Short mmCIF file of all heavy atoms in Angstrom, two decimals:
data_model
loop_
_atom_site.label_atom_id
_atom_site.label_comp_id
_atom_site.label_asym_id
_atom_site.label_seq_id
_atom_site.Cartn_x
_atom_site.Cartn_y
_atom_site.Cartn_z
N GLN A 293 0.83 -1.22 -0.02
CA GLN A 293 -0.01 -0.01 -0.01
C GLN A 293 0.88 1.25 0.01
O GLN A 293 0.57 2.24 -0.66
CB GLN A 293 -0.96 0.01 1.20
CG GLN A 293 -2.06 -1.02 1.15
CD GLN A 293 -1.55 -2.41 1.55
OE1 GLN A 293 -0.48 -2.60 2.07
NE2 GLN A 293 -2.39 -3.42 1.29
N ALA A 294 1.97 1.25 0.76
CA ALA A 294 2.87 2.40 0.79
C ALA A 294 3.52 2.59 -0.57
O ALA A 294 3.69 3.75 -1.07
CB ALA A 294 3.93 2.22 1.85
N VAL A 295 3.90 1.49 -1.22
CA VAL A 295 4.48 1.61 -2.57
C VAL A 295 3.43 2.16 -3.55
O VAL A 295 3.75 2.99 -4.39
CB VAL A 295 5.02 0.21 -3.04
CG1 VAL A 295 5.44 0.29 -4.52
CG2 VAL A 295 6.24 -0.17 -2.18
N SER A 296 2.19 1.73 -3.40
CA SER A 296 1.10 2.26 -4.22
C SER A 296 0.97 3.77 -4.07
O SER A 296 0.73 4.48 -5.04
CB SER A 296 -0.22 1.56 -3.87
OG SER A 296 -0.21 0.23 -4.28
N GLN A 297 1.13 4.24 -2.85
CA GLN A 297 1.08 5.68 -2.64
C GLN A 297 2.22 6.41 -3.34
O GLN A 297 2.03 7.46 -3.93
CB GLN A 297 1.06 6.00 -1.14
CG GLN A 297 -0.22 5.61 -0.43
CD GLN A 297 -0.15 5.79 1.05
OE1 GLN A 297 0.92 5.91 1.66
NE2 GLN A 297 -1.33 5.81 1.67
N HIS A 298 3.41 5.80 -3.26
CA HIS A 298 4.56 6.39 -3.94
C HIS A 298 4.28 6.41 -5.46
O HIS A 298 4.60 7.38 -6.17
CB HIS A 298 5.84 5.63 -3.66
CG HIS A 298 6.40 5.89 -2.33
ND1 HIS A 298 6.86 7.13 -1.93
CD2 HIS A 298 6.60 5.09 -1.26
CE1 HIS A 298 7.34 7.09 -0.69
NE2 HIS A 298 7.18 5.85 -0.25
N LEU A 299 3.75 5.33 -5.97
CA LEU A 299 3.44 5.26 -7.42
C LEU A 299 2.39 6.32 -7.81
O LEU A 299 2.48 6.92 -8.90
CB LEU A 299 2.88 3.86 -7.77
CG LEU A 299 3.94 2.77 -7.71
CD1 LEU A 299 3.28 1.41 -7.97
CD2 LEU A 299 5.08 2.99 -8.67
N ARG A 300 1.44 6.57 -6.94
CA ARG A 300 0.44 7.63 -7.23
C ARG A 300 1.13 8.99 -7.39
O ARG A 300 0.83 9.78 -8.31
CB ARG A 300 -0.61 7.66 -6.11
CG ARG A 300 -1.81 8.54 -6.43
CD ARG A 300 -2.94 8.48 -5.42
NE ARG A 300 -3.28 7.09 -5.12
CZ ARG A 300 -3.13 6.56 -3.90
NH1 ARG A 300 -2.71 7.27 -2.90
NH2 ARG A 300 -3.54 5.31 -3.70
N VAL A 301 2.08 9.29 -6.47
CA VAL A 301 2.80 10.56 -6.57
C VAL A 301 3.59 10.66 -7.88
O VAL A 301 3.60 11.66 -8.57
CB VAL A 301 3.74 10.76 -5.35
CG1 VAL A 301 4.65 11.96 -5.51
CG2 VAL A 301 2.94 10.86 -4.06
N LEU A 302 4.26 9.52 -8.21
CA LEU A 302 5.06 9.47 -9.45
C LEU A 302 4.17 9.63 -10.66
O LEU A 302 4.53 10.35 -11.64
CB LEU A 302 5.85 8.19 -9.53
CG LEU A 302 6.98 8.05 -8.49
CD1 LEU A 302 7.55 6.62 -8.50
CD2 LEU A 302 8.09 9.05 -8.80
N GLN A 303 2.98 9.02 -10.61
CA GLN A 303 2.05 9.14 -11.74
C GLN A 303 1.50 10.56 -11.86
O GLN A 303 1.41 11.10 -12.98
CB GLN A 303 0.93 8.13 -11.58
CG GLN A 303 0.00 8.03 -12.77
CD GLN A 303 -1.02 6.91 -12.66
OE1 GLN A 303 -1.22 6.36 -11.55
NE2 GLN A 303 -1.59 6.56 -13.74
N GLU A 304 1.20 11.16 -10.75
CA GLU A 304 0.65 12.56 -10.78
C GLU A 304 1.72 13.52 -11.31
O GLU A 304 1.37 14.53 -11.93
CB GLU A 304 0.19 12.95 -9.39
CG GLU A 304 -1.09 12.29 -8.99
CD GLU A 304 -1.48 12.54 -7.54
OE1 GLU A 304 -0.79 13.28 -6.82
OE2 GLU A 304 -2.51 11.97 -7.11
N ALA A 305 2.98 13.21 -11.07
CA ALA A 305 4.09 14.03 -11.60
C ALA A 305 4.37 13.73 -13.06
O ALA A 305 5.23 14.39 -13.67
CB ALA A 305 5.34 13.87 -10.76
N GLY A 306 3.73 12.71 -13.63
CA GLY A 306 3.95 12.33 -15.04
C GLY A 306 5.21 11.49 -15.21
O GLY A 306 5.62 11.29 -16.35
N LEU A 307 5.82 11.00 -14.13
CA LEU A 307 7.06 10.25 -14.25
C LEU A 307 6.86 8.79 -14.59
O LEU A 307 7.79 8.14 -15.03
CB LEU A 307 7.87 10.38 -12.95
CG LEU A 307 8.41 11.78 -12.70
CD1 LEU A 307 8.84 11.91 -11.24
CD2 LEU A 307 9.52 12.08 -13.64
N ILE A 308 5.66 8.26 -14.35
CA ILE A 308 5.35 6.90 -14.71
C ILE A 308 3.96 6.88 -15.33
O ILE A 308 3.16 7.78 -15.13
CB ILE A 308 5.40 5.94 -13.48
CG1 ILE A 308 4.28 6.23 -12.50
CG2 ILE A 308 6.76 5.91 -12.81
CD1 ILE A 308 4.03 5.15 -11.47
N SER A 309 3.72 5.79 -16.05
CA SER A 309 2.36 5.51 -16.53
C SER A 309 2.01 4.09 -16.03
O SER A 309 2.90 3.27 -15.75
CB SER A 309 2.27 5.56 -18.04
OG SER A 309 3.09 4.55 -18.61
N ARG A 310 0.72 3.86 -15.86
CA ARG A 310 0.28 2.53 -15.38
C ARG A 310 -0.65 1.98 -16.36
O ARG A 310 -1.56 2.63 -16.87
CB ARG A 310 -0.37 2.69 -14.00
CG ARG A 310 0.66 3.28 -13.00
CD ARG A 310 0.19 3.32 -11.62
NE ARG A 310 0.20 1.96 -11.11
CZ ARG A 310 -0.33 1.63 -9.94
NH1 ARG A 310 -0.94 2.56 -9.23
NH2 ARG A 310 -0.30 0.39 -9.51
N GLY A 311 -0.42 0.72 -16.69
CA GLY A 311 -1.28 0.06 -17.68
C GLY A 311 -2.07 -1.04 -17.05
O GLY A 311 -2.12 -1.20 -15.83
N ARG A 312 -2.71 -1.82 -17.91
CA ARG A 312 -3.48 -2.96 -17.43
C ARG A 312 -3.25 -4.08 -18.47
O ARG A 312 -3.54 -3.91 -19.66
CB ARG A 312 -4.95 -2.67 -17.29
CG ARG A 312 -5.71 -3.81 -16.69
CD ARG A 312 -7.17 -3.46 -16.44
NE ARG A 312 -7.37 -2.41 -15.49
CZ ARG A 312 -7.40 -2.52 -14.15
NH1 ARG A 312 -7.11 -3.67 -13.62
NH2 ARG A 312 -7.63 -1.52 -13.37
N ALA A 313 -2.71 -5.20 -18.02
CA ALA A 313 -2.54 -6.37 -18.84
C ALA A 313 -3.12 -7.56 -18.07
O ALA A 313 -2.47 -8.07 -17.15
CB ALA A 313 -1.05 -6.57 -19.14
N ALA A 314 -4.33 -7.95 -18.41
CA ALA A 314 -5.08 -9.00 -17.72
C ALA A 314 -5.19 -8.57 -16.24
O ALA A 314 -5.72 -7.54 -15.96
CB ALA A 314 -4.40 -10.35 -17.88
N GLN A 315 -4.66 -9.39 -15.32
CA GLN A 315 -4.75 -9.07 -13.92
C GLN A 315 -3.59 -8.11 -13.46
O GLN A 315 -3.60 -7.64 -12.34
CB GLN A 315 -4.69 -10.34 -13.06
CG GLN A 315 -5.86 -11.30 -13.34
CD GLN A 315 -7.16 -10.74 -12.78
OE1 GLN A 315 -7.40 -9.55 -12.70
NE2 GLN A 315 -8.04 -11.66 -12.46
N ARG A 316 -2.62 -7.94 -14.28
CA ARG A 316 -1.46 -7.12 -13.96
C ARG A 316 -1.75 -5.64 -14.23
O ARG A 316 -2.45 -5.30 -15.13
CB ARG A 316 -0.23 -7.55 -14.77
CG ARG A 316 0.21 -8.96 -14.52
CD ARG A 316 1.44 -9.25 -15.32
NE ARG A 316 2.32 -8.10 -15.14
CZ ARG A 316 3.56 -8.06 -15.48
NH1 ARG A 316 4.11 -9.04 -16.03
NH2 ARG A 316 4.28 -6.98 -15.27
N ARG A 317 -1.13 -4.79 -13.40
CA ARG A 317 -1.14 -3.36 -13.64
C ARG A 317 0.31 -2.86 -13.62
O ARG A 317 0.76 -2.30 -12.64
CB ARG A 317 -1.93 -2.63 -12.55
CG ARG A 317 -3.42 -2.68 -12.82
CD ARG A 317 -4.15 -1.70 -11.96
NE ARG A 317 -3.52 -0.37 -11.97
CZ ARG A 317 -4.11 0.76 -12.36
NH1 ARG A 317 -5.33 0.72 -12.77
NH2 ARG A 317 -3.46 1.88 -12.32
N PRO A 318 1.04 -3.15 -14.68
CA PRO A 318 2.44 -2.75 -14.69
C PRO A 318 2.63 -1.24 -14.78
O PRO A 318 1.84 -0.52 -15.39
CB PRO A 318 3.00 -3.43 -15.93
CG PRO A 318 1.81 -3.59 -16.85
CD PRO A 318 0.61 -3.77 -15.94
N SER A 319 3.67 -0.76 -14.10
CA SER A 319 4.06 0.66 -14.19
C SER A 319 5.28 0.76 -15.10
O SER A 319 6.11 -0.18 -15.15
CB SER A 319 4.44 1.16 -12.81
OG SER A 319 3.33 1.12 -11.94
N ARG A 320 5.38 1.84 -15.82
CA ARG A 320 6.54 2.09 -16.68
C ARG A 320 7.01 3.51 -16.55
O ARG A 320 6.23 4.39 -16.28
CB ARG A 320 6.29 1.68 -18.13
CG ARG A 320 4.99 1.89 -18.69
CD ARG A 320 4.82 1.34 -20.10
NE ARG A 320 4.18 0.05 -20.23
CZ ARG A 320 2.96 -0.24 -19.88
NH1 ARG A 320 2.17 0.71 -19.41
NH2 ARG A 320 2.44 -1.39 -20.07
N LEU A 321 8.28 3.69 -16.74
CA LEU A 321 8.91 5.00 -16.67
C LEU A 321 8.51 5.86 -17.84
O LEU A 321 8.45 5.38 -18.96
CB LEU A 321 10.43 4.79 -16.64
CG LEU A 321 11.31 6.02 -16.43
CD1 LEU A 321 11.08 6.67 -15.08
CD2 LEU A 321 12.76 5.62 -16.53
N VAL A 322 8.30 7.14 -17.58
CA VAL A 322 8.03 8.16 -18.62
C VAL A 322 9.17 9.13 -18.55
O VAL A 322 9.37 9.77 -17.50
CB VAL A 322 6.67 8.86 -18.41
CG1 VAL A 322 6.46 9.93 -19.44
CG2 VAL A 322 5.54 7.84 -18.45
N GLY A 323 9.90 9.30 -19.64
CA GLY A 323 11.12 10.11 -19.61
C GLY A 323 10.99 11.60 -19.78
O GLY A 323 11.90 12.35 -19.34
N ALA A 324 9.90 12.08 -20.34
CA ALA A 324 9.82 13.51 -20.65
C ALA A 324 9.99 14.43 -19.44
O ALA A 324 10.74 15.40 -19.54
CB ALA A 324 8.49 13.82 -21.34
N PRO A 325 9.33 14.18 -18.31
CA PRO A 325 9.57 15.09 -17.16
C PRO A 325 10.99 15.04 -16.66
O PRO A 325 11.54 16.07 -16.20
CB PRO A 325 8.60 14.54 -16.09
CG PRO A 325 7.57 13.82 -16.84
CD PRO A 325 8.28 13.21 -18.01
N LEU A 326 11.64 13.89 -16.74
CA LEU A 326 13.07 13.79 -16.33
C LEU A 326 13.95 14.60 -17.29
O LEU A 326 14.90 15.25 -16.87
CB LEU A 326 13.52 12.35 -16.30
CG LEU A 326 12.90 11.50 -15.19
CD1 LEU A 326 13.28 10.02 -15.33
CD2 LEU A 326 13.29 12.01 -13.83
N ARG A 327 13.63 14.57 -18.58
CA ARG A 327 14.37 15.36 -19.54
C ARG A 327 14.24 16.84 -19.21
O ARG A 327 15.21 17.59 -19.27
CB ARG A 327 13.90 15.06 -20.95
CG ARG A 327 14.67 15.86 -22.01
CD ARG A 327 14.29 15.49 -23.46
NE ARG A 327 12.90 15.33 -23.70
CZ ARG A 327 12.32 14.14 -24.00
NH1 ARG A 327 13.07 13.05 -24.14
NH2 ARG A 327 11.01 14.05 -24.17
N GLY A 328 13.02 17.27 -18.88
CA GLY A 328 12.79 18.69 -18.52
C GLY A 328 13.60 19.10 -17.32
O GLY A 328 14.20 20.15 -17.28
N ALA A 329 13.66 18.21 -16.30
CA ALA A 329 14.45 18.51 -15.11
C ALA A 329 15.93 18.55 -15.45
O ALA A 329 16.66 19.43 -14.97
CB ALA A 329 14.21 17.44 -14.02
N ALA A 330 16.40 17.61 -16.28
CA ALA A 330 17.81 17.60 -16.65
C ALA A 330 18.19 18.89 -17.46
O ALA A 330 19.25 19.41 -17.26
CB ALA A 330 18.12 16.34 -17.50
N GLU A 331 17.29 19.29 -18.32
CA GLU A 331 17.53 20.53 -19.11
C GLU A 331 17.62 21.70 -18.19
O GLU A 331 18.47 22.61 -18.35
CB GLU A 331 16.49 20.69 -20.17
CG GLU A 331 16.63 19.70 -21.32
CD GLU A 331 15.46 19.71 -22.29
OE1 GLU A 331 14.48 20.46 -22.05
OE2 GLU A 331 15.52 18.94 -23.26
N TRP A 332 16.73 21.79 -17.19
CA TRP A 332 16.74 22.89 -16.28
C TRP A 332 18.07 22.92 -15.48
O TRP A 332 18.71 23.97 -15.29
CB TRP A 332 15.55 22.80 -15.33
CG TRP A 332 15.45 23.99 -14.38
CD1 TRP A 332 14.91 25.17 -14.65
CD2 TRP A 332 15.94 24.04 -13.07
NE1 TRP A 332 15.00 26.00 -13.52
CE2 TRP A 332 15.68 25.34 -12.56
CE3 TRP A 332 16.62 23.14 -12.25
CZ2 TRP A 332 16.03 25.71 -11.31
CZ3 TRP A 332 16.98 23.53 -10.95
CH2 TRP A 332 16.64 24.83 -10.50
N LEU A 333 18.44 21.74 -14.98
CA LEU A 333 19.71 21.64 -14.22
C LEU A 333 20.91 21.96 -15.11
O LEU A 333 21.91 22.57 -14.62
CB LEU A 333 19.86 20.24 -13.65
CG LEU A 333 18.94 19.91 -12.47
CD1 LEU A 333 18.98 18.42 -12.18
CD2 LEU A 333 19.32 20.73 -11.25
N ASP A 334 20.83 21.57 -16.36
CA ASP A 334 21.97 21.83 -17.28
C ASP A 334 22.24 23.32 -17.43
O ASP A 334 23.38 23.72 -17.70
CB ASP A 334 21.67 21.19 -18.65
CG ASP A 334 22.92 20.96 -19.46
OD1 ASP A 334 23.91 20.55 -18.90
OD2 ASP A 334 22.90 21.30 -20.66
#
């Protein structure tokens, strides 16, 4: 449940997406927000 809460924060920030494959709900990384942060830091 705690990991699910962390995933919710990551999803709201656009850093991950969550899908549905049968009974599975896999999460995957979304790179665009990280690229934006890297460009800002650069």
